[in-house]
Amino acid sequence: MGNTKLANPAPLGLMGFGMTTILLNLHNIGLFPMDNIILAMGIFYGGIAQIFAGLLEYKKGNTFGLTAFTSYGSFWLTLVAILVMPNMGFAASNAHFLGVYLGLWGVFTLFMFFGTLKANRALQFVFLSLTVLFALLAIGHLVDNEGIVRVAGWVGLVCGASAIYLAMGEVLNEQFGRTVLPIGEKH
């Protein structure tokens, strides 16, 4: 009999989400222009790697993880398409409609946040900060206010960093068999 323990796919998904979120929000705060670095991360790490993580959560019987990672992976792929398709001859996006798109993701994220209330505190923080991020981005685009988008960018940096922290907490805590990075485990 071999090892039947399944690996935890959540750190992969959290890293794909966290790193891509940080890159996009460095743009949102005005530090860097939108470029292929953000778009490539959105496709391959934020998008495809998160979808893989979600499918691996399915194998573990984790409906929350499946829904979260495959949904946010798809978010990144659709966002890249929204940003790139106008350069391919498709109609440009309406900024207000982008606000509606982001608002829908905010509603989804709020419901997912409620699903974290039985999980560790770090995951709760990731989803709560992501809910605030989507709300600010939606409002910023709906009212054409770049200042709100910049504030959202700072929230996004914190959100992305919290996802990276949680991912590394899960990896290092498992690797060392003890709490290296506290994530606020429920007992």
Side-chain angles (χ1 to χ4, degrees), residues 52-100:
F52 280 141
L55 295 175
L56 293 168
E57 290 285 4
Y58 168 83
K59 175 74 174 160
K60 292 183 73 177
N62 182 350
T63 302
F64 182 91
L66 165 72
T67 304
F69 290 130
T70 56
S71 293
Y72 293 113
S74 297
F75 163 79
W76 283 111
L77 293 175
T78 59
L79 183 63
V80 169
I82 288 165
L83 297 171
V84 170
M85 288 173 72
N87 298 333
M88 300 168 61
F90 294 92
S93 302
N94 175 305
H96 295 140
F97 204 21
L98 181 61
V100 172

Side-chain angles (χ1 to χ4, degrees), residues 13-179:
L14 287 162
M15 286 302 296
F17 169 79
M19 289 175 63
T20 309
T21 298
I22 285 176
L23 287 177
L24 178 61
N25 285 288
L26 288 172
H27 161 72
N28 284 340
I29 65 170
L31 198 57
F32 292 101
M34 178 62 67
D35 72 6
N36 63 338
I37 292 170
I38 298 167
L39 299 174
M41 281 288 279
I43 293 168
F44 295 103
Y45 205 29
I48 294 171
Q50 271 199 96
I51 290 172
F52 280 141
L55 295 175
L56 293 168
E57 290 285 4
Y58 168 83
K59 175 74 174 160
K60 292 183 73 177
N62 182 350
T63 302
F64 182 91
L66 165 72
T67 304
F69 290 130
T70 56
S71 293
Y72 293 113
S74 297
F75 163 79
W76 283 111
L77 293 175
T78 59
L79 183 63
V80 169
I82 288 165
L83 297 171
V84 170
M85 288 173 72
N87 298 333
M88 300 168 61
F90 294 92
S93 302
N94 175 305
H96 295 140
F97 204 21
L98 181 61
V100 172
Y101 164 85
L102 294 165
L104 285 171
W105 279 103
V107 170
F108 169 73
T109 303
L110 177 62
F111 278 101
M112 293 298 285
F113 165 73
F114 291 125
T116 69
L117 295 178
K118 294 185 77 167
N120 63 64
R121 297 289 184 223
L123 188 64
Q124 292 171 16
F125 185 85
V126 170
F127 276 83
L128 183 60
S129 61
L130 183 56
T131 301
V132 173
L133 172 59
F134 276 128
L136 289 170
L137 287 172
I139 293 165
H141 286 283
L142 286 168
V143 302
D144 294 319
N145 187 317
E146 188 61 33
I148 295 173
V149 172
R150 284 187 192 259
V151 169
W154 289 103
V155 172
L157 292 175
V158 171
C159 177
S162 70
I164 291 170
Y165 177 87
L166 175 56
M168 291 301 93
E170 290 189 10
V171 168
L172 295 175
N173 294 350
E174 179 182 323
Q175 196 70 10
F176 288 95
R178 62 181 174 83
T179 299

